[in-house]
Amino acid sequence: MKNNMIRAASALLLTFAASLLSSCATTKSTVSTARNLSSVYVTNTNTIKVLSPEYMDAEIDCVYVFSADFGEQNLSTLAYLYSDSEGMEMLLLSDFGIEIGHLNYDGKSVDLALPVKAPIKGEYIVADLQNIFYPEQCLAENYASAGLTFKSTTLEDGSVIRTVSKKDRTVEKITMKLDEDGNPESVVLENLLRGYTYRLTLADE
């Protein structure tokens, strides 16, 4: 009787272990990432790699009024943003149209130059821009592999809320209003953990 109970308990334990391993395996990401670039610490312990450009399923070719608050550092400028399945480029422009900074990402390298001293790497800005412009499915899979949740919700007025969270704690929140073509017309990105904010507003032509 005792041996039967032990065997039953062992079988139950093995079944539980197999189930646990199976559930963990489903969170393994199959999306392609830029593995040679630096990891992005979404939290102090959870990291991701930025996605390959191939997941950009549309083309963004817009000029935005771009402002950013990096703690005590502030930046406000025009930004020409181009993103497609081959890469991402953002040019920061003065009022006279002169380049004062840039971000270039081609899936293999990131080149960042800002007109202010900000404690942020290019990979972090690429990740934030991907959170805005890339499809929900590939982002969700990438974050799930790091133990995080990416969610996109469309509200009744057509605006979109995207969040990155760990359990019940929101790490990053993005609020977007879209134009008639489905491009983000205005964006507010708040990184609640790191304490920085981006704002993008389509510039008047």
Side-chain angles (χ1 to χ4, degrees):
M1 178 69 174
K2 185 177 180 180
N3 289 338
N4 289 339
M5 291 179 64
I6 292 174
R7 283 195 292 269
S10 299
L12 183 62
L13 183 60
L14 288 172
T15 301
F16 174 76
S19 175
L20 181 62
L21 289 172
S22 176
S23 65
C24 290
T26 59
T27 64
K28 185 177 180 181
S29 178
T30 60
V31 294
S32 177
T33 58
R35 298 190 179 278
N36 292 330
L37 298 183
S38 297
S39 296
V40 173
Y41 276 83
V42 184
T43 71
N44 292 332
T45 56
N46 301 81
T47 65
I48 63 165
K49 294 286 189 176
V50 295
L51 291 168
S52 298
E54 65 191 81
Y55 296 104
M56 183 70 186
D57 63 354
E59 181 181 284
I60 296 293
D61 188 359
C62 298
V63 177
Y64 287 97
V65 177
F66 174 70
S67 63
D69 296 318
F70 304 101
E72 297 181 355
Q73 293 290 336
N74 308 105
L75 172 65
S76 182
T77 182
L78 288 176
Y80 168 68
L81 179 65
Y82 183 84
S83 183
D84 63 11
S85 60
E86 294 185 359
M88 178 186 294
E89 177 183 25
M90 183 168 68
L91 299 179
L92 303 180
L93 307 170
S94 71
D95 293 338
F96 301 101
I98 299 173
E99 181 184 329
I100 58 175
H102 63 260
L103 171 75
N104 292 302
Y105 169 61
D106 62 3
K108 298 178 181 178
S109 63
V110 177
D111 181 26
L112 173 68
L114 294 175
V116 297
K117 187 176 181 180
I120 192 167
K121 290 183 177 180
E123 286 87 345
Y124 284 74
I125 298 180
V126 171
D128 286 332
L129 292 175
Q130 289 184 341
N131 288 345
I132 296 170
F133 295 104
Y134 277 41
E136 176 186 4
Q137 183 176 354
C138 58
L139 288 163
E141 185 174 341
N142 196 31
Y143 279 102
S145 68
L148 301 166
T149 301
F150 182 91
K151 185 178 180 181
S152 181
T153 304
T154 301
L155 305 182
E156 290 184 1
D157 64 358
S159 59
V160 176
I161 305 293
R162 289 185 161 192
T163 56
V164 178
S165 58
K166 182 175 183 179
K167 296 182 179 179
D168 294 330
R169 182 183 180 185
T170 300
V171 177
E172 185 166 284
K173 179 181 179 182
I174 301 168
T175 304
M176 296 187 287
K177 292 184 178 180
L178 307 181
D179 63 13
E180 295 179 354
D181 297 323
N183 294 322
E185 185 174 45
S186 65
V187 180
V188 178
L189 181 149
E190 302 168 274
N191 190 299
L192 306 175
L193 180 64
R194 307 296 179 198
Y196 63 82
T197 303
Y198 304 148
R199 293 179 178 84
L200 293 167
T201 304
L202 276 178
D204 295 330
E205 296 182 359

